[in-house]
Structures are given as C-alpha cells and as structure tokens.
Amino acid sequence: MGIFLNSSVPYAIYREILSDPYFVDKSSLIDELIPVLGRRNRYICITRPRRFGKTVMAAMIAAFFTTANANADGTDSLFDSLQIAASKNYARHLHKYPVIYIDFSRTPETCTSYLSYISRIISGLKQDLQNEFQTLSISNTMPLWDIMQYIYEKTKSRFIFVLDEWDAVFHMSFISQKDREEYLLFLKNLLKDQVYTELAYMTGVLPIAKYSSGSQLNMFVEYDMAVSEKFCEYFGFLNTEVDHLYETYLHTAAQKKITRQDLKNWYDGYHTATGKRLYNPRSVVLALTDNQLRSYWTSAGPYDEIFYYIRNNIDSVRDDLVLLASGEHVSTKIGQFSAAFMELKTREQIYSAMVIYGLLTYEDGEVFIPNKELMDQYNELLLSKDSLGYVYRLAKKSEQMLQATLTNDTRTMETILQFAHHTEAPILSYNNETELSAVVNLCYLAARDSYRVEREDKAGKGYVDFIFYPQRKHLDGIILELKVDSTPQEAIHQIKEKEYALRFQGSLADKKRFTRRILAVGISYSKKTKEHRCAIEILHNPS
C-alpha cells in the first residue's frame, strides 16, 4: 500500500461513514461506473456544491476497486451488505484494480509554491509505483506518465484514477495563472488518451470550463446538478432516504426535538435535472446527530459569501433579491460558467455561479432559494449591506414593522408601507399581489428571527398569503392576507371565512408553540389612491 497507489485511506474513510447511524447506501453508483471501464468515455467529472457527498463517493469508489483490501476468498464485509453486492458485476470487479487516489486539497507542510505542491504528488506517485513494481527497472528521472506507460507495456496494468477536489488548487493563495496552466498540462499528460487509464473519476465544485478554456481536459464528460440527469440521485439525500434516517432518529433520540417537517423546511429544496428534490446531506446528518436545527452547510461561509457573487453588479439583481427572499422564483438563463467569467458581471453569470455553488437552485428556467438554511443567510445579507440601497433600507424598518403589528399600531404599519412605496424600487409598481407580497415580506424581514414565516401555506379551506409561526412561547401567531384594490377588512374576512387559524391547531408540537393570541392582519393597496391600509383583529385570545 502506498500514499496514493492502493492507499488504505479511502477504505478507512468509507468504513467510518458506513458505521454512522445515519448512513445512506449510495453504492449503486459503482454499478453505473463499471460499464465505462476501459471505454472511450471513461473520463467522468462530477461537479457539486461543497458538502454534497463528493468525497464520500470518491472514497467509496476507491475502496471498492482497489486491490489493497482484497480478502483471500474474494469477500469484503464492508461491501457485502450494500446495494452493490446484488449486482452481477460485484464479484468480478471488487478489489480487482490498482487505484490511484489523490485528494488535491492536501498540501505539503508550509507549502508556499506550486512546485512544492505538485512535487509532493509526483514524487509520492513515483515512489508508490517503484514499490509496487519492484521487478521492473523504473528510473525516478522519467516523467510520471512515461513510467506508467512503461509499466503498462511490461505488465498490461491499467489504473483507476480517483481524483477528489481536483479544483482545490485554484483556490490556494500561492497559485498564479502560469501555475494553473502547468497544473492543467500535468493532468492532461497524466490522463488524456493514456492506455493505462482504466477509469478517471474526478470531483470538484466548479466545472472544468471555469479553469480550462482550451482542450486540456476536454476528454472528461461533466455531470453537474442543474442540467445533467445522470448520477443526480447519488449526491444529496432523496425524500425516501431522509424518511429512513428520520425513522432511525425516532428510535434512537432520547429527547425528540425535530419533526420530519422541520427537516424538509430547513434542508430540502434542491432540484436536479430529472426533477428530483434533494436535501443537503451534511446538514440532515448533523441536525439529527446533534438533535438541533440550525445552519450547518453555510456555517463555513457566512452571508458575505452570497454578497461575493453579486457585488460586481448589484443593480441587476437587487429587485430579484426582494422576490427571492419572499420565496418567489425568478426567471433566468443558466449559462456555462467558464474561465472567461472570472469576475461575475451579468445577471446570467451571477445566477449560474450561485446555482453551481448551491446558493440557489434551478428548475424549469427559474432560480430560487431552496430552504430555510439558505433563506436565513439571504435575510442576514439584506439586513447588513447598505450597498443594496432600498432593499437594505426597507429591511432595516422590519423590526419596527413587527413591533407595530404586535401592538396593533396600524398607523405606523401604514407609514412604513408608504415609505416603501416612496423608494426608488421599480418592483413597487404593484401590478399584482406577488409584488405586494414581496415588499411586505421585506418589511417583515426581521420577524424571521423569532418566527417561521411561510408563504402560501395550506391553511383551513385555502391558501394564506403569510402565516407566522412563533418560535418562542411568548409571541403571538400572525396570519397575514394581502389585497390589491380592496380593503384590509375584506382581507380579514377572508382569513375568518377560510378558517386559516385552524393551521395553528395542527400537530401537538404546534399546539405547544402557540400559547398566546392569534392575530389576523389585513393589508390592502389601492392603485388609484396609491395608499396602503392596515387592520388587525384578534382571532384567539387564551386569556
């Protein structure tokens, strides 16, 4: 066993993952890779946002194919109980190949140059090959690919390459443009059209085109989450898989603090090209393990990460942010995020990058914020960046708006809404209730710190515009209905007629939360007078 060749590391990584009580079996991916072994299309690149299981799958693939962990009888307790064991290809390919596994995010100690970085990989591979093929006369001065070609000529050995985080090098501070070109040339020489390559499986966050505008790595077929259907179910958790994990949680958690609906609200919402919905896998596992709902995936990159992508052209996306933060979908084209777009300037480039990074999801020509985990980050952004102009100013009014609502101060509510209307916001044309809803949502943005705010939630006999579920026992529940060219009293009448308040009497968990009043809030806007009117009525008062 070597550092890179037939390393025991991926086997150890996958064994740890498999022992987790919240393990999900994705081993059928191996069965989809087997048919391309040794074929022309044996170069596969999987691009996904971080924390979507790329490293787990890479470790699984390397652990399965490598000869390093082969038992004498051809069995393996690690894989014998998994889905792949039912495949007709299982015994034929289990531990039958020399595997080169490289995690490109690893660096030498005190690494300050590309030469130091790449030398560790090249020298390590050469040493592994010399140790493995001791009967061959291998010169350390030969180029790495010439050594591997020589090994193939003498032994007919064909290698499986599993290259994880291949694009990590581009995010290292010491890498120059010349270094990038040399790195791409290294990968090309090592892999492209090399007969000793049985399979090249590569993972990264950004597509190859981001870094390679030429033909260096054009042998790879890329599979992303937004437009590629193949392999989509192996990265992220499907609804049925989360159901299974939640059953495990119910049987093992001493004190159950999380509902199944909580998991859906917080971590579901990513869409694949096949139309399947995916949960963020890391977040689901950590929430169930910790028995706590919070932002896990985005904890490594705060709201400034979102701002990074929009900062070069705030004007083109400012109005969209109002709609997105209110739960609406925004129409756009998703183009190829290529090397030419090192600085994101157009609206299409911005959204393409944000989808690739998992900060938005994409379906049927529209982008949207997938879940509460990310929605919280957008809310924080809107409350923090004055460069967002009217969006920031309205968001800062939202604490005052919530307090006015809870104290039945309709005059202040109307004043804040009029302030919103007098901004320069082009979205405030109020052509329909969707635009009114987006602005009202912005005016209540601070409420999301203490409420779970749902849009168009099924309630009673219809769908309510907004329903505010308090996350603290001392707060009132709020039902908010909007009307254009009508009256706030008509909005409240609809709330009562449709029995929207029944939504607060749902599950036992909900009943424990809603210990105070339920407020019916009606907000109207007149296109003729350009005025807002508000009314509040108490529907339920336990005192």
Side-chain angles (χ1 to χ4, degrees), residues 263-492:
L263 293 178
K264 180 178 179 62
N265 293 337
W266 272 83
Y267 310 121
D268 188 18
Y270 293 93
H271 286 249
T272 69
T274 61
K276 294 181 179 179
R277 293 169 64 93
L278 294 175
Y279 289 70
N280 185 305
R282 169 183 164 84
S283 299
V284 169
V285 169
L286 287 177
L288 296 177
T289 301
D290 295 350
N291 202 15
Q292 181 183 3
L293 295 164
R294 65 182 181 89
S295 178
Y296 292 97
W297 179 71
T298 54
S299 60
Y303 62 83
D304 275 340
E305 181 177 3
I306 299 172
F307 187 71
Y308 172 84
Y309 297 100
I310 68 173
R311 72 192 194 285
N312 289 326
N313 193 351
I314 291 174
D315 290 344
S316 70
V317 299
R318 182 186 290 114
D319 297 336
D320 290 346
L321 287 175
V322 180
L323 292 168
L324 290 168
S326 68
E328 295 293 339
H329 295 202
V330 171
S331 297
T332 187
K333 292 181 180 180
I334 298 296
Q336 180 62 268
F337 185 44
S338 73
F341 306 150
M342 297 303 290
E343 288 190 5
L344 305 172
K345 295 182 178 179
T346 71
R347 182 172 177 269
E348 180 180 306
Q349 291 167 6
I350 291 170
Y351 289 145
S352 297
M354 293 178 78
V355 168
I356 286 169
Y357 272 103
L359 300 172
L360 292 170
T361 192
Y362 176 79
E363 184 184 37
D364 296 333
E366 296 178 324
V367 292
F368 51 98
I369 301 170
N371 51 43
K372 177 173 170 52
E373 183 175 34
L374 271 167
M375 183 67 79
D376 286 354
Q377 304 303 306
Y378 280 86
N379 295 340
E380 196 170 354
L381 168 71
L382 300 186
L383 287 163
S384 306
K385 294 295 183 182
D386 57 6
S387 57
L388 292 174
Y390 81 87
V391 177
Y392 169 79
R393 291 193 292 276
L394 292 185
K396 295 301 286 185
K397 289 278 188 181
S398 60
E399 292 182 7
Q400 186 181 356
M401 186 71 168
L402 176 61
Q403 188 60 33
T405 303
L406 294 175
T407 58
N408 199 12
D409 184 357
T410 55
R411 182 179 296 275
T412 296
M413 293 169 62
E414 292 169 354
T415 299
I416 292 173
L417 288 169
Q418 287 303 120
F419 169 79
H421 190 264
H422 291 154
T423 68
E424 69 273 25
I427 196 172
L428 296 177
S429 58
Y430 287 0
N431 292 320
N432 52 55
E433 287 187 9
T434 296
E435 295 176 353
L436 175 58
S437 295
V439 174
V440 168
N441 176 78
L442 194 59
C443 290
Y444 279 98
L445 198 66
R448 294 176 183 267
D449 289 338
S450 49
Y451 286 88
R452 190 183 88 236
V453 181
E454 299 288 346
R455 282 286 322 276
E456 296 289 342
D457 195 18
K458 180 69 171 67
K461 299 177 182 178
Y463 290 85
V464 63
D465 283 334
F466 289 94
I467 189 163
F468 292 57
Y469 296 102
Q471 304 298 295
R472 303 168 191 166
K473 289 185 178 180
H474 70 280
L475 292 173
D476 298 327
I478 300 173
I479 302 170
L480 195 154
E481 188 68 23
L482 308 173
K483 292 292 181 183
V484 174
D485 286 336
S486 184
T487 67
Q489 289 74 23
E490 178 61 28
I492 291 177

Side-chain angles (χ1 to χ4, degrees), residues 246 249 256-260 262-263 287-288 291-293:
Y246 189 69
Y249 167 79
K256 301 165 184 61
K257 300 179 181 179
I258 299 173
T259 69
R260 181 63 180 84
D262 285 335
L263 293 178
L288 296 177
N291 202 15
Q292 181 183 3
L293 295 164

Side-chain angles (χ1 to χ4, degrees), residues 6-26:
N6 290 332
S7 169
S8 61
V9 169
Y11 196 89
I13 291 173
Y14 194 61
R15 183 170 53 200
E16 286 181 1
I17 297 296
L18 197 149
S19 65
D20 192 289
Y22 298 112
F23 169 76
V24 173
D25 185 354
K26 300 277 192 178

